[in-house]
Amino acid sequence: MTRRKKTRSLADKVTIRTGRRKDYKQWRQENPDQVTSSRRFTQKKRQQRKIQAMRRLERQQSAPGIDIHPQRQDDTTAPTTDQPNAPKDGE
């Protein structure tokens, strides 16, 4: 006598009229409030998201800083309002 394989499939746990896959899919669409993820799945996903966030934070902190708009030390190179190509009044 052979043992039945253990399954985590939700389809086996739901009792519907025929037990056919097509009927289960239809039942699942008609009753979305009764279909929930298993505790094991939600715990696994929560743990994965925590690990992902920690790794992302580590990458951000270990990355070198980039000066996108570096501060200038001297004010002589600052742009002036007297630009040669700017349109003048009346033109």
Side-chain angles (χ1 to χ4, degrees):
M1 185 158 142
T2 59
R3 293 187 309 169
R4 264 187 70 170
K5 183 180 177 185
K6 287 185 179 179
T7 180
R8 295 188 197 118
S9 173
L10 190 61
D12 295 341
K13 297 175 186 172
V14 176
T15 55
I16 54 177
R17 190 170 50 85
T18 61
R20 296 170 68 188
R21 185 179 188 89
K22 181 180 173 186
D23 291 338
Y24 171 69
K25 288 173 93 174
Q26 183 179 356
W27 173 85
R28 192 172 62 186
Q29 284 186 340
E30 293 171 354
N31 303 297
D33 55 328
Q34 295 182 22
V35 178
T36 58
S37 299
S38 66
R39 281 184 282 131
R40 183 177 187 275
F41 179 79
T42 50
Q43 287 174 350
K44 178 183 172 185
K45 288 297 172 185
R46 187 180 302 134
Q47 186 67 24
Q48 284 178 349
R49 290 184 188 108
K50 282 182 186 177
I51 293 170
Q52 184 181 24
M54 286 174 24
R55 287 179 180 161
R56 180 178 179 208
L57 190 62
E58 287 174 9
R59 279 198 314 271
Q60 287 178 347
Q61 291 173 347
S62 66
I66 299 174
D67 289 335
I68 297 174
H69 298 290
Q71 297 293 327
R72 295 183 178 170
Q73 276 74 19
D74 54 345
D75 293 331
T76 58
T77 59
T80 59
T81 56
D82 189 24
Q83 297 175 354
N85 295 336
K88 296 184 174 60
D89 293 323
E91 285 185 359

